[in-house]
């Protein structure tokens, strides 16, 4: 444990960490990968090149410094990150490597501001945090082994279905598991591990499960990313859509994630998604209507237009069968005038005909800018932040 004086010493570094955090974590990743290139099999190359992973780590280091005397307040974030770690196969033996290069980076960038005593105390703080991650992840690995025996196992692609422009669903059945039933909490994701053509390293991506538990397959729904090739954006989504066919195999992890609905509650649910962020919402919606058929659900989705709106037919069928589900579909622009939609333009939650229920739970998934806008709109009308839940695919960030 840290003494009060040691905590104060770490807290005193917070201002310089806030200012120099990105320089520290950028140096950290450069040196760590230079000396341990095998770790590139775990990290998302795109996030490294974009700088989002170093920035997220810088934010985390600063958060530890500010909250060093009350690390328990960071536990929800720690669990969220631990789920990601478990889903990509982070091992306890890798934490000393990370600690070594993180302390080296702090010392290198801070220079005279990082005395040997400060580095020693930060080493103690890092070990406390590392031990917490290792303990939580050990429990998560134990739970995962009840679902899949290994951290990554091969799965057969038994079906591949185009949902709309650029969005494809893959139906995956683990190899060698007789009478397989997909067990997970709706809203969770699995990792897919692939070595793309021409790549020296494996690449891992997380995709939400978009169907209900109990089926003899996992369904993931993948949007083709058409980004800047210099950043390697879309390498895996394009590989999946272009190269992986029915009958092929890909490696997958057991389901992971903290984003799921408490189905012991009966309050109203608002499911709010943007773009391909509707994938976990589809799983949640289908499961809630199955398990809690009388629970009110307000399903809100925003897409650029109808051509990139997946699961339109599935949603129509759910609305017919479960009238307690209220939908509100928003398109930035319409392409087909024959398709009905509730609103065209910018999504404004404060103008919903259903209104906003202060006692409801709100679940968000979509692009970063979309979710931040939705959180801002909800908090502006005094929806309690603890009733707003979100899933963000990328380096962990606090959006509110």
């Amino acid at each position: 444990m840290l003494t009060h004086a040691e905590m104060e010493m770490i807290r005193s570094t917070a201002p310089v960490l806030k200012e120099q955090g990105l320089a520290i974590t950028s140096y950290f990743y450069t040196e760590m990968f230079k000396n341990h290139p095998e770790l590139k099999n775990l990290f998302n190359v795109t996030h490294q090149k974009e700088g989002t992973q170093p920035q997220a780590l810088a934010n985390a280091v600063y958060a530890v410094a500010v909250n060093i005397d009350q690390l328990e307040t960071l536990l929800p974030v720690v669990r969220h990150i631990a789920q990601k770690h478990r889903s990509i196969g982070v091992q306890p033996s890798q934490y000393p490597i990370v600690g070594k290069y993180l302390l080296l980076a702090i010392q290198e960038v801070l220079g005279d501001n990082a005395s040997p005593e400060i580095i020693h105390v930060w080493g103690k703080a890092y070990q406390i945090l590392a031990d917490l991650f290792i303990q939580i992840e050990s429990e998560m690995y134990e739970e995962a082994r009840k679902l899949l025996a290994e951290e990554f196992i091969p799965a057969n692609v038994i079906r591949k279905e185009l949902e709309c422009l650029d969005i494809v669903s893959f139906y995956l059945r683990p190899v060698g598991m007789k009478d397989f039933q997909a067990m997970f909490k709706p809203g969770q994701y699995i990792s897919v591990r692939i070595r793309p053509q021409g790549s020296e390293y494996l690449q891992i991506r997380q995709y939400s499960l978009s169907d209900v538990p109990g089926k003899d397959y996992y369904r993931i729904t993948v949007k083709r990313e058409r980004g800047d090739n210099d950043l390697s954006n879309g390498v895996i989504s394009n590989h999946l859509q272009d190269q992986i066919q029915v009958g092929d195999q890909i490696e997958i992890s057991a389901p992971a994630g903290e984003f799921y609905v408490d189905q012991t509650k009966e309050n109203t649910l608002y499911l709010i998604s943007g773009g391909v962020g509707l994938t976990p919402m589809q799983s949640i919606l289908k499961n809630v209507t199955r398990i809690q058929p009388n629970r009110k659900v307000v399903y809100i989705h925003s897409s650029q237009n109808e051509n990139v709106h997946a699961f339109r037919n599935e949603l129509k069928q759910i609305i017919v069968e479960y009238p307690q589900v209220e939908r509100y579909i928003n398109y930035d622009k319409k392409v087909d005038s024959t398709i009905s939609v509730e609103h065209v333009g910018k999504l404004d939650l404060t103008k919903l005909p259903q209104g906003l229920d202060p006692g409801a739970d709100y679940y968000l998934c979509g692009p970063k800018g979309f979710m931040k806008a939705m959180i801002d709109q909800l908090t502006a009308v005094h929806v309690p932040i603890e009733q707003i839940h979100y899933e963000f695919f990328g380096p962990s960030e606090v959006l509110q």
Side-chain angles (χ1 to χ4, degrees), residues 355-375:
L356 295 173
D357 181 351
D361 276 305
Y362 294 80
Y363 287 77
L364 315 177
C365 190
K368 176 182 174 181
F370 169 84
M371 288 200 294
K372 188 174 189 317
M374 297 301 100
I375 292 171

Side-chain angles (χ1 to χ4, degrees), residues 261-282:
V261 169
D262 181 354
Q263 293 195 224
T264 65
K265 298 172 70 174
E266 297 183 350
N267 61 335
T268 299
L269 284 179
Y270 283 72
L271 305 180
I272 307 169
S273 58
V276 77
L278 55 63
T279 53
M281 302 307 185
Q282 199 69 10

Side-chain angles (χ1 to χ4, degrees), residues 46 58 83 123 127 158 202 252 270 277 300 320 355:
T46 301
Q83 289 278 8
Q127 193 58 54
I158 61 172
L202 294 165
I252 64 171
Y270 283 72
I300 303 161
V320 169

Side-chain angles (χ1 to χ4, degrees), residues 241-347:
Q241 291 206 16
D242 295 337
Q243 305 298 326
I244 302 300
Q245 306 301 332
V246 173
D248 290 341
Q249 290 185 359
I250 58 176
E251 288 188 305
I252 64 171
S253 75
E258 299 282 297
F259 182 74
Y260 47 82
V261 169
D262 181 354
Q263 293 195 224
T264 65
K265 298 172 70 174
E266 297 183 350
N267 61 335
T268 299
L269 284 179
Y270 283 72
L271 305 180
I272 307 169
S273 58
V276 77
L278 55 63
T279 53
M281 302 307 185
Q282 199 69 10
S283 178
I284 292 171
L285 177 65
K286 293 176 73 172
N287 200 65
V288 168
T289 54
R290 183 179 64 165
I291 304 300
Q292 296 180 290
N294 295 318
R295 189 172 186 179
K296 182 179 177 180
V297 180
V298 181
Y299 180 95
I300 303 161
H301 177 67
S302 183
S303 285
Q304 291 179 351
N305 56 58
E306 55 270 36
N307 292 338
V308 291
H309 181 187
F311 304 128
R312 282 196 295 143
N313 290 333
E314 274 194 6
L315 179 60
K316 287 179 183 178
Q317 187 61 38
I318 291 170
I319 298 295
V320 169
E321 295 179 11
Y322 300 96
Q324 82 281 11
V325 176
E326 300 179 14
R327 78 165 204 172
Y328 187 87
I329 305 301
N330 181 86
Y331 293 152
D332 295 342
K333 295 181 180 179
K334 281 190 67 174
V335 176
D336 187 344
S337 61
T338 65
I339 294 178
S340 63
V341 64
E342 280 70 32
H343 185 260
V344 177
K346 186 176 180 180
L347 177 60

